[in-house]
Amino acid sequence: MSRARADEEEYWHSSKFRAFTFDDEDDELSQLKESKRAVNSLRDIVDDDDDDLERVSWSGEPVGSISWSIKETASSSTSSLEGRDSSLQKGSSSYAAFPKQVSSYSLSSLFKGEVPHIQYGQMLCLSLSALSDTGVKNYAPELRRPKAEYKDYSSDWSPKDTVRRMQRGKVCSLERFRSLQDKLVLLDEAVAGHDGNVITAVLIFLKRTLRREILFRELEVRQVALCHLIHFLKETGEQKLLLDLLRLCFFSLSLQLSQYREHLNIQDVEKRREFLKGCIGLPFSAEDTSHIQDHYTLLERQIIIEANDRHLETAGQSEIFRKYPRKASILNMPLVTTLFYSCFYHYTEAEGTFSSPTNLKKTFKIPDKQYVLTALAARAKLRAWDDVDALFTTKNWLGYTKKKAPIGFHRVVEILQRNNAPVQVLQEYVRLVEDVETRLNLATKYKCHDVVIETYRDLKDRIQLTAYKCKVERGSAEEEKINSILNNVVRNTN
């Protein structure tokens, strides 16, 4: 026990730093000497010439480390004593080995336990910056953001660039678009971008910065943006504004429709054509505007065809007009009627002429089913069976031909029968009906006996074949064909 106490006494007396005792002089000169002695002791530990050496505090923690900063900050909150001697600060300036980042800690405050009151976040930043001289920067350089990210949001972005940035999720200020023209260009660019979120964001900005009358007036000719605003108002529950908008849209649509309907009262064809041309500019929806454009183009095409055919009919230069005189004018007729007229009188014309059926099909984008139905009805009425056959004959890439009907061969049979097609023509197309039951019903209904007999033969249905024998005339070719099939079946069975 005495040896342990002796070792302890030897440890304290052998330390480089003199222990505190109450016998020390308390005057200013003794305190200054004590400070200088402490500084000289620190110089033995830390070399001023080498800044890379680790600096150690009294507690053994590296000066500038996170743990040292936390401890020093905690001690500052409990021991903030007022400094009594400003002369000690001169002694502290003689030691320049401490980093600049922690220059707020003087040696006098270090010895007296006086630490300025600093927030923990600031102390942590200062502590981390004290370690920046050790070469960590070389291994972990600062990752800088692209220069474009630092560009001011109020920069002179064009409407197109603004919409593109909004589509990528960038923050953009729309306040710089102050004139009505700029705002409308921004809205048009948003609609052209086909991004519903961007369109809605621009509409919210316009709703906030434009008067209601101006906004509604501009949206009348921008149907896509109008639909987005109506949906947005429904979602947000702004019923009053929504009702005003719908009331204006209904009134505007009614006004446009009544103006478009005026063409029915115009008897002169040229004046009606000019009136329809003016209706194209009305603020209809895109689909309705397309229909009005087609209406104008069709009437213009009918005027040209009517003038040419009237001349041919009057001059008697065309055989088809002599054989099948026209019963009515083609002017103001629907598109399907015009196509039937073209297939009836101008079926063989080249595609480059206005009266060519293929030209009409291409110009007005007529579907294949509608075109085949109309052309079949027109050529069947003329009993042009070769044209009917060519209408359904196709070739594959190997050169083989086969018949194909986009409307189904059962409908072809019905149209041919309605136009009094011969039995031989009917039977050819009844055979092409794929469904067996439908084929038998059509063959039985239109008395295509050969098709019925061949179908029962393929099905090897002796009972139905025998029953059908009673429905044909005695001694006819059909009865002989049935007997031949039945006798062959009996001989093959034996």
Side-chain angles (χ1 to χ4, degrees):
M1 183 69 178
S2 60
R3 180 172 178 79
R5 185 173 184 80
D7 293 339
E8 185 177 356
E9 291 293 331
E10 182 181 358
Y11 171 78
W12 286 109
H13 288 292
S14 62
S15 175
K16 293 181 181 180
F17 307 105
R18 189 166 61 88
F20 174 79
T21 62
F22 289 95
D23 297 333
D24 294 338
E25 296 177 356
D26 196 27
D27 57 329
E28 296 178 357
L29 182 59
S30 63
Q31 292 180 8
L32 181 58
K33 291 179 180 181
E34 182 67 26
S35 299
K36 290 182 177 181
R37 192 179 296 111
V39 170
N40 294 331
S41 301
L42 288 174
R43 286 175 178 173
D44 295 337
I45 301 174
V46 182
D47 189 2
D48 290 340
D49 297 333
D50 190 2
D51 292 339
D52 293 335
L53 293 179
E54 187 179 26
R55 304 177 181 91
V56 183
S57 66
W58 295 109
S59 60
E61 298 290 344
V63 175
S65 64
I66 296 178
S67 60
W68 177 78
S69 302
I70 295 174
K71 291 182 179 180
E72 291 297 320
T73 306
S75 65
S76 66
S77 61
T78 57
S79 58
S80 58
L81 300 176
E82 187 176 3
R84 294 179 299 175
D85 192 358
S86 61
S87 62
L88 294 179
Q89 296 178 1
K90 298 180 180 179
S92 65
S93 62
S94 62
Y95 179 59
F98 285 98
K100 295 180 180 180
Q101 290 83 349
V102 292
S103 61
S104 59
Y105 292 96
S106 64
L107 283 177
S108 60
S109 62
L110 180 62
F111 293 127
K112 294 178 182 180
E114 297 177 3
V115 182
H117 292 281
I118 305 178
Q119 296 294 332
Y120 172 72
Q122 298 175 354
M123 177 61 73
L124 185 58
C125 294
L126 292 173
S127 303
L128 292 175
S129 63
L131 299 177
S132 62
D133 296 333
T134 61
V136 179
K137 269 188 177 180
N138 297 332
Y139 297 99
E142 181 183 0
L143 298 178
R144 295 184 178 274
R145 299 172 67 186
K147 291 184 178 180
E149 299 296 331
Y150 293 98
K151 195 168 184 179
D152 189 10
Y153 291 136
S154 61
S155 299
D156 191 16
W157 294 105
S158 66
K160 189 172 184 179
D161 293 336
T162 302
V163 170
R164 287 180 178 177
R165 286 176 62 85
M166 294 175 68
Q167 288 175 340
R168 294 196 300 266
K170 303 294 183 181
V171 179
C172 297
S173 176
L174 303 181
E175 300 298 333
R176 61 170 299 273
F177 299 101
R178 297 185 179 182
S179 66
L180 176 61
Q181 183 65 28
D182 290 342
K183 293 177 181 179
L184 295 179
V185 172
L186 179 65
L187 179 60
D188 293 337
E189 290 292 342
V191 172
H194 304 289
D195 192 323
N197 293 331
V198 176
I199 297 174
T200 304
V202 174
L203 286 173
I204 294 174
F205 169 67
L206 297 183
K207 185 172 72 72
R208 181 170 54 84
T209 57
L210 290 179
R211 291 205 308 269
R212 180 180 302 182
E213 296 79 8
I214 298 177
L215 178 62
F216 289 175
R217 182 191 67 197
E218 297 299 335
L219 289 180
E220 286 183 19
V221 295
R222 295 171 174 84
Q223 296 295 320
V224 176
L226 178 62
C227 294
H228 276 77
L229 182 59
I230 291 175
H231 181 73
F232 173 75
L233 295 178
K234 288 180 181 179
E235 292 292 330
T236 56
E238 300 182 50
Q239 297 297 331
K240 187 176 184 305
L241 183 61
L242 178 61
L243 290 176
D244 292 341
L245 181 60
L246 292 177
R247 190 180 299 112
L248 178 63
C249 292
F250 178 76
F251 173 76
S252 176
L253 181 60
S254 300
L255 182 63
Q256 296 160 19
L257 290 176
S258 62
Q259 185 174 354
Y260 172 67
R261 200 178 293 114
E262 284 296 322
H263 79 276
L264 298 175
N265 300 326
I266 301 176
Q267 299 299 327
D268 186 81
V269 179
E270 291 293 337
K271 291 182 178 180
R272 179 180 290 192
R273 183 177 67 85
E274 292 299 325
F275 181 83
L276 289 175
K277 185 177 181 180
C279 290
I280 297 175
L282 294 177
F284 285 103
S285 64
E287 184 178 1
D288 293 338
T289 302
S290 177
H291 291 326
I292 297 175
Q293 178 68 53
D294 289 341
H295 190 178
Y296 166 76
T297 305
L298 178 63
L299 181 58
E300 190 177 37
R301 186 73 58 87
Q302 288 173 348
I303 292 173
I304 297 174
I305 296 174
E306 176 67 20
N308 184 47
D309 289 356
R310 186 186 297 115
H311 174 72
L312 292 176
E313 187 178 22
T314 304
Q317 298 176 0
S318 178
E319 181 181 355
I320 190 171
F321 285 109
R322 293 197 305 267
K323 190 174 182 180
Y324 300 98
R326 299 189 310 157
K327 297 181 180 180
S329 171
I330 195 179
L331 294 175
N332 300 319
M333 291 296 175
L335 177 59
V336 176
T337 305
T338 306
L339 179 62
F340 180 89
Y341 177 93
S342 179
C343 291
F344 193 91
Y345 290 104
H346 305 280
Y347 189 73
T348 59
E349 289 186 5
E351 185 178 346
T353 60
F354 286 147
S355 55
S356 169
T358 53
N359 190 306
L360 289 173
K361 179 178 182 294
K362 184 178 180 180
T363 301
F364 298 99
K365 299 178 181 179
I366 300 175
D368 290 338
K369 289 185 178 181
Q370 184 65 58
Y371 178 80
V372 169
L373 279 172
T374 308
L376 175 62
R379 304 318 293 174
K381 191 173 187 66
L382 288 172
R383 305 182 69 82
W385 309 123
D386 293 337
D387 293 338
V388 172
D389 187 71
L391 189 63
F392 301 107
T393 303
T394 59
K395 285 185 178 182
N396 58 14
W397 63 279
L398 292 175
Y400 295 105
T401 60
K402 70 173 184 177
K403 285 186 170 57
K404 183 179 179 181
I407 59 176
F409 283 107
H410 62 286
R411 298 192 65 182
V412 175
V413 172
E414 292 175 354
I415 294 174
L416 292 176
Q417 194 276 335
R418 197 181 303 132
N419 287 278
N420 301 318
V423 176
Q424 293 78 9
V425 176
L426 278 179
Q427 288 187 150
E428 182 180 356
Y429 289 96
V430 170
R431 288 189 180 97
L432 297 175
V433 178
E434 294 183 358
D435 185 70
V436 176
E437 184 176 356
T438 304
R439 189 195 313 155
L440 284 173
N441 291 335
L442 289 174
T444 304
K445 180 179 180 181
Y446 300 130
K447 297 181 179 180
C448 299
H449 301 302
D450 289 343
V451 178
V452 176
I453 296 171
E454 292 170 1
T455 303
Y456 284 141
R457 181 198 61 191
D458 296 337
L459 293 175
K460 298 180 179 180
D461 194 338
R462 182 184 178 86
I463 297 176
Q464 293 294 336
L465 194 59
T466 304
Y468 193 75
K469 180 181 177 180
C470 302
K471 298 180 181 181
V472 299
E473 296 181 3
R474 289 184 174 274
S476 62
E478 289 79 10
E479 184 181 23
E480 294 180 0
K481 189 174 183 179
I482 294 174
N483 291 330
S484 176
I485 294 173
L486 293 175
N487 291 332
N488 290 333
V489 171
V490 172
R491 282 196 295 267
N492 292 334
T493 304
N494 296 332

